[in-house]
């Protein structure tokens, strides 16, 4: 059985980041990846080593009027049951604090969209804005 991720897992993970626009791969897209443990910048397609966290990884990408802002969830890896069996749940608490014992998908594919005005900031109908 696997034990506490804090003892058995790395705090880093290498991810492949790629971008797609209109169902075609796009190279040279600038992306900022961030979570509670830090921030990283890449140009797609690229491999990047991030510090793991229990929370989501935000992936914000932009190129030539196309953009994407996505959240990639972290999931607990195989150390979950070992944490409860061997440490009565204490290992799970440590893994959440360190990010070890959690992982992101190995490949992050970002779907870009052409920038559109945010409807939350549109004026009410019938109002003229100068």
């Amino acid at each position: 059985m696997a034990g506490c991720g804090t003892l058995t897992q790395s705090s880093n993970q290498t991810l492949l980041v790629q971008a797609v626009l209109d169902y075609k791969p796009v190279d040279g897209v600038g992306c900022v990846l961030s979570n509670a443990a830090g921030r990283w910048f890449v140009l797609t397609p690229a491999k990047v080593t991030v510090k793991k966290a229990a929370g989501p990884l935000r992936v914000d990408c932009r190129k030539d009027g196309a953009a994407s802002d996505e959240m990639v969830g972290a999931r607990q890896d195989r150390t979950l049951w070992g944490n409860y069996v061997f440490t009565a749940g204490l290992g799970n608490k440590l893994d959440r604090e360190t990010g070890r014992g959690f992982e992101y998908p190995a490949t992050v594919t970002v779907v870009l969209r052409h920038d559109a005005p945010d409807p939350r900031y549109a004026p009410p109908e019938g109002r003229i804005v100068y």
Side-chain angles (χ1 to χ4, degrees), residues 28-45:
V29 177
C31 296
V32 176
L33 290 76
S34 60
N35 63 17
R39 295 173 63 126
W40 304 268
F41 176 78
V42 296
L43 288 174
T44 64

Side-chain angles (χ1 to χ4, degrees), residues 12-109:
N12 297 320
Q13 180 181 354
T14 301
L15 310 172
L16 172 64
V17 181
Q18 55 192 11
V20 175
L21 176 64
D22 297 330
Y23 303 100
K24 297 176 194 154
V26 181
D27 293 345
V29 177
C31 296
V32 176
L33 290 76
S34 60
N35 63 17
R39 295 173 63 126
W40 304 268
F41 176 78
V42 296
L43 288 174
T44 64
K47 287 189 176 185
V48 60
T49 301
V50 300
K51 190 163 177 72
K52 295 192 283 186
L57 179 71
R58 181 178 179 190
V59 183
D60 184 8
C61 300
R62 309 230 181 273
K63 181 178 182 178
D64 299 334
S68 179
D69 189 6
E70 300 180 12
M71 299 295 257
V72 177
R75 62 182 169 88
Q76 194 152 21
D77 64 12
R78 65 187 179 276
T79 62
L80 175 64
W81 293 111
N83 279 334
Y84 288 106
V85 171
F86 297 118
T87 68
L90 180 61
N92 193 36
K93 181 177 178 352
L94 288 172
D95 286 355
R96 286 192 177 282
E97 290 174 7
T98 64
R100 295 179 183 193
F102 286 83
E103 58 188 28
Y104 298 110
T107 302
V108 176
T109 302

Side-chain angles (χ1 to χ4, degrees), residues 123-129:
E125 284 187 274
R127 307 248 351 235
I128 298 173
V129 178

